[in-house]
Amino acid sequence: MTGKRSSKTRRSKDERVEVAAAFYNRRVDLRPVGVFDSGVGGLTVLHECLVTMPHEDFVYLGDHARLPYGPRPLEETRRFAGEIAGYLAAQDVKLVVVACNTATSAALPQLQEALEVPVVGVITPEAHAAVQATRNRRIGLMATEATVEAGRYAELVHALDAGAELFGMACPRLVPLIEGDEPFAAETTDAVREYAAPLREAGVDTVILGCTHYPLIRPVFQRVFGRGVTLVFSAEETAREVAETLARKGIENSEAREGSYRFLTTGDPAAFRTLGERFLQLPLGEVEHVAVADLVIA
């Protein structure tokens, strides 16, 4: 009896040692995750990534010199996205997050084909979450003109559920209002109410807020639509997909450390810092300037 217990005890201890050794000796990837957007909206995605993966390092690039992307032709946005992604790849990132709905709509397949590292966009996670959330299979979309016109959300929603209907609404006034001095002013609520009206009439029970700026005024959307409508944001869903991708690819960093973050902009660093802290809800610290010409070269 004693011998058997002793044998089991030793085996149990050996197994625990093996598990511990596997955990502490697992391969880690110290390279940062690259994140980019046309401006500061993607910082809402970065915020969720920082709290979901506090052990990872991030480098964020905002293309302030060429914003907004929303009104631009898709081909031009695709070129911009390719330049930025190439620049981040040259910074030796291990994964690229396209934290811009317009750039994701315009360029995600091309970036995934061109880059050697994984590329995650903000549209697929949202489309999947919306299809999972809807009860009546009537889904609304509020986004920039380019994102709505690209039709990428409709393609993904129908691929996931051929019987689901997507009702798109371009909201060109929202981004300037959200970036303004008073994002919660009555004018913002009036604009949201105006854009939401056709979706409410269509009877949607789920709305994709397809712009990374929109989480900043989440209470306004919820007030206009009410609790009966599920709101889907890119930030939370995208951060979840990034974490899952890093784990699946085996390129996570060590969870025993606290990660860092770094900021780059093609625009004015001081202006980026001032507005960016509102979106990130954390201090930005130093912001580095990158010339557009450097992106083109990369």
Side-chain angles (χ1 to χ4, degrees):
M1 293 288 290
T2 302
K4 290 183 179 179
R5 282 199 301 270
S6 177
S7 176
K8 288 181 179 179
T9 300
R10 285 197 301 273
R11 186 162 58 250
S12 177
K13 288 181 178 179
D14 290 343
E15 290 172 352
R16 288 198 298 270
V17 169
E18 290 177 3
V19 170
F23 178 82
Y24 287 108
N25 294 329
R26 64 180 178 172
R27 184 168 62 91
V28 297
D29 194 322
L30 300 176
R31 294 177 296 167
V33 173
V35 184
F36 78 86
D37 182 26
S38 60
V40 295
L43 292 172
T44 59
V45 176
L46 178 61
H47 174 88
E48 290 299 323
C49 288
L50 291 174
V51 299
T52 301
M53 296 159 281
H55 52 284
E56 296 289 352
D57 293 342
F58 292 87
V59 55
Y60 180 98
L61 195 156
D63 192 13
H64 248 125
R66 299 186 290 190
L67 63 76
Y69 283 5
R72 293 182 181 275
L74 287 177
E75 185 56 44
E76 186 175 37
T77 301
R78 186 175 297 122
R79 175 167 59 84
F80 291 172
E83 292 168 359
I84 296 171
Y87 181 86
L88 289 174
Q91 301 291 305
D92 197 27
V93 299
K94 60 185 175 183
L95 181 146
V96 171
V97 182
V98 188
C100 174
N101 298 75
T102 302
T104 300
S105 299
L108 184 63
Q110 291 81 4
L111 295 181
Q112 290 175 330
E113 182 177 354
L115 298 185
E116 295 183 1
V117 298
V119 182
V120 173
V122 291
I123 289 180
T124 301
E126 283 185 320
H128 184 268
V131 170
Q132 293 287 94
T134 184
R135 302 175 301 280
N136 65 7
R137 303 167 90 187
R138 299 173 73 82
I139 300 170
L141 167 67
M142 300 177 75
T144 65
E145 306 100 308
T147 298
V148 173
E149 291 171 9
R152 184 62 177 151
Y153 276 104
E155 293 173 4
L156 289 168
V157 166
H158 294 153
L160 294 165
D161 181 355
E165 294 183 83
L166 183 76
F167 302 86
M169 175 57 61
C171 310
R173 292 166 54 201
L174 288 187
V175 168
L177 287 170
I178 294 170
E179 289 194 355
D181 294 333
E182 299 184 70
F184 292 99
E187 187 179 359
T188 304
T189 302
D190 291 343
V192 171
R193 189 176 289 117
E194 174 189 329
Y195 293 135
L199 302 183
R200 290 166 60 88
E201 292 174 8
V204 302
D205 73 346
T206 301
V207 174
I208 299 171
L209 299 178
C211 175
T212 52
H213 279 68
Y214 296 173
L216 204 68
I217 59 165
R218 182 173 190 158
V220 177
F221 286 105
Q222 201 70 75
R223 171 74 176 93
V224 170
F225 282 106
R227 290 294 184 187
V229 173
T230 300
L231 301 179
V232 176
F233 292 84
S234 61
E236 298 165 5
E237 304 301 330
T238 303
R240 187 176 299 113
E241 179 161 325
V242 171
E244 291 173 354
T245 301
L246 293 176
R248 187 171 61 252
K249 298 289 186 180
I251 53 176
E252 301 168 282
N253 213 329
S254 170
E255 294 182 4
R257 66 188 296 277
E258 180 178 351
S260 63
Y261 45 86
R262 175 182 169 215
F263 299 97
L264 313 171
T265 180
T266 57
D268 176 53
F272 180 93
R273 184 186 306 109
T274 299
L275 187 58
E277 289 184 344
R278 185 199 301 177
F279 282 77
L280 187 66
Q281 300 176 55
L282 291 168
L284 265 69
E286 181 182 358
V287 178
E288 304 169 43
H289 179 262
V290 176
V292 170
D294 292 336
L295 302 182
V296 175
I297 292 172

